[in-house]
Amino acid sequence: MYKRQAFVQSVYILLRERPHAVLATGGYASGSCALAASMLGIPVVLIEPNSIPGRTTLMLSRFVDEVALGYKECISRFPKGTNLRVTGVPIRKEILGISRSEGIAKFRLDEDRLTVFVFGGSRGASRINHAVVDAVKKVKTENIQFLIQTGYGDYEWVRDEVRSSGFPCKVFAYVEKIGYAYAACDLVVSRAGAVTLAEITACGLPAILVPYPHAVMNHQFLNAQILEKAGAAVIIKDEDLGGESLARAIDSIISDPQTLKSMSEKARSLAREDAATEVAAHILQLTKLRRKLSRLTAVLSE
């Protein structure tokens, strides 16, 4: 019932707005609109940012003009004949071009210490928060500091716990300008969502990744594996995450300048900073082609 209503509403909106093209990002929320646009003859480009496509993406791939992929590892999972193009995942340009000194100043960090940026997505991740609270008491590397985004639910207790530990930490419920955090840090600890990985590789940051274990088809773990196999990241499974394991992983990476440098270079080698530009260019090409075909059809039918 709801799917039917969504499809009808999508048709109505598309006929009213008359877009030249539709860009869909996968997931059930985009399904009705992308399908309606395809049936109305509007060019549709679908973005699949993860290493494994979801059910909606696979269904829509039969109808859309093109599927833009975040990872080449995703190609084999689509039916033969699907129009696929590996573009990388579009990211915000605002996260790039910020200097380390600007990031350090933004959060009032110590410029002489290496910085570990810990976050579990925009809403935080309690598993990661609990682990980092314990980890700050166990890390052996002395010249480091932590920048922690907790989410609003865990903010106060994490702030109080790390404050009592005496370890240099800056704790925020939410970091609005995340580009400054990337610029300030030397190592990231995070989940493994596709956009997060696209951003940290674009910034050339080594990472400790804790894939969300309940992600559909375990796609976060598969995303993280691509970085780990390239030497840009280390994976800690959610069930293995704790203060001891996190502290050990942090020490092993951040205490060795050569390891940091190597992981940074390998992360940057995976980056596709121009993904947004490339996707936009393909949309324009499809739009121009569709207009030419429409004009040709009109001429031939006269």
Side-chain angles (χ1 to χ4, degrees):
M1 180 65 176
Y2 293 113
K3 291 181 180 179
R4 187 180 304 168
Q5 289 179 342
F7 180 79
V8 172
Q9 289 174 347
S10 296
V11 170
Y12 172 76
I13 292 170
L14 291 168
L15 289 175
R16 183 187 67 196
E17 301 296 332
R18 297 186 178 279
H20 293 110
V22 168
L23 177 65
T25 55
Y28 71 92
S30 65
S32 296
C33 185
L35 186 59
S38 178
M39 295 183 69
L40 290 171
I42 300 170
V44 182
V45 172
L46 177 64
I47 294 179
E48 177 47 70
N50 292 297
S51 57
I52 181 169
R55 288 188 293 270
T56 301
T57 298
L58 287 173
M59 183 275 290
L60 289 175
S61 69
R62 295 177 292 167
F63 303 98
V64 302
D65 295 84
E66 183 174 289
V67 183
L69 303 178
Y71 299 102
K72 66 179 185 299
E73 287 80 1
C74 198
I75 292 174
S76 63
R77 299 181 182 274
F78 283 87
K80 289 184 178 180
T82 306
N83 188 17
L84 305 172
R85 190 185 299 266
V86 181
T87 61
V89 181
I91 61 171
R92 298 164 290 177
K93 289 293 186 182
E94 66 191 54
I95 71 168
L96 304 173
I98 303 172
S99 69
R100 183 177 188 273
S101 60
E102 288 175 316
I104 291 292
K106 176 76 171 177
F107 301 105
R108 297 181 181 178
L109 295 163
D110 185 343
E111 64 180 7
D112 295 323
R113 289 178 176 269
L114 297 173
T115 304
V116 182
F117 177 35
V118 183
F119 67 109
S122 58
R123 293 188 296 175
S126 284
R127 283 281 294 162
I128 293 178
N129 291 337
H130 280 84
V132 73
V133 164
D134 195 28
V136 299
K137 304 169 187 176
K138 294 181 172 13
V139 289
K140 297 176 181 179
T141 310
E142 295 181 353
N143 65 325
I144 65 171
Q145 60 195 337
F146 284 80
L147 173 60
I148 307 170
Q149 176 184 281
T150 63
Y152 291 99
D154 289 345
Y155 168 67
E156 291 186 359
W157 78 263
V158 172
R159 178 200 60 194
D160 294 342
E161 284 288 328
V162 298
R163 183 180 292 167
S164 65
S165 74
F167 201 92
C169 298
K170 297 289 185 179
V171 182
F172 297 86
Y174 180 71
V175 175
E176 184 174 353
K177 299 289 187 180
I178 199 168
Y180 285 88
Y182 290 145
C185 79
D186 301 278
L187 175 66
V188 166
V189 178
S190 72
R191 292 296 195 189
V195 174
T196 294
L197 300 191
E199 290 180 344
I200 65 176
T201 53
C203 293
L205 292 171
I208 297 170
L209 301 175
V210 186
Y212 180 58
H214 306 296
V216 177
M217 302 177 74
N218 204 24
H219 70 257
Q220 284 208 7
F221 181 75
L222 297 174
N223 292 347
Q225 275 191 319
I226 294 172
L227 271 70
E228 186 180 57
K229 289 178 180 177
V234 170
I235 296 175
I236 300 178
K237 292 182 179 179
D238 194 79
E239 62 265 29
D240 297 330
L241 180 66
E244 188 69 41
S245 61
L246 182 56
R248 188 165 54 249
I250 291 171
D251 282 329
S252 68
I253 296 172
I254 208 161
S255 63
D256 184 354
Q258 189 56 45
T259 297
L260 275 176
K261 181 181 178 181
S262 175
M263 291 181 71
S264 175
E265 290 172 351
K266 289 170 181 176
R268 200 175 299 280
S269 73
L270 296 173
R272 299 289 293 262
E273 295 179 26
D274 294 327
T277 301
E278 189 171 348
V279 171
H282 297 158
I283 292 173
L284 289 174
Q285 287 176 353
L286 288 170
T287 302
K288 291 176 181 177
L289 178 61
R290 190 62 58 89
R291 287 177 177 174
K292 289 180 180 178
L293 288 173
S294 296
R295 287 197 294 268
L296 177 59
T297 300
V299 171
L300 293 175
S301 61
E302 288 180 354

